[in-house]
């Protein structure tokens, strides 16, 4: 089951609708049931990576597995 509420294609449609509307992101996002911060994140990802940037991340790529294990508190 996907974690994302919206598919990549749906995100693109929402961003295109925002662009054509000329509305401010915050107002548009609230009217469409999307958190304004999320909408800004989508915009940044799309500008940086194109359509592929809107795809759901498959895994956390912020830390290598070794680094992640070292950061866990020891009990």
């Amino acid at each position: 089951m996907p974690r994302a509420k919206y598919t990549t294609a749906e995100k693109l449609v929402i961003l295109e609708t925002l662009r054509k509307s000329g509305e401010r992101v915050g107002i548009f996002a609230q009217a469409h049931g999307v958190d304004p911060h999320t909408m800004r994140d989508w915009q940044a990802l799309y500008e940086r990576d194109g359509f592929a940037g809107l795809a759901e991340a498959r895994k956390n790529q912020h830390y290598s597995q070794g680094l992640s294990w070292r950061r866990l508190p020891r009990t």
Side-chain angles (χ1 to χ4, degrees):
M1 182 174 178
R3 295 176 302 154
K5 183 176 177 180
Y6 299 98
T7 66
T8 306
E10 290 170 330
K11 292 174 189 177
L12 183 59
V13 168
I14 292 169
L15 288 176
E16 282 297 312
T17 306
L18 168 63
R19 186 183 62 78
K20 290 176 183 176
S21 74
E23 286 187 81
R24 291 188 355 229
V25 174
I27 293 170
F28 182 89
Q30 288 178 346
H32 290 83
V34 179
D35 184 85
H37 183 78
T38 298
M39 183 81 68
R40 288 184 189 95
D41 286 346
W42 291 352
Q43 283 181 309
L45 290 168
Y46 185 67
E47 288 172 9
R48 187 187 72 198
D49 301 324
F51 186 74
L54 298 175
E56 180 179 352
R58 296 291 177 211
K59 63 181 182 176
N60 183 345
Q61 297 177 345
H62 295 286
Y63 299 106
S64 67
Q65 186 176 16
L67 181 59
S68 294
W69 283 109
R70 286 193 303 259
R71 292 183 55 86
L72 289 174
R74 297 175 192 232
T75 55

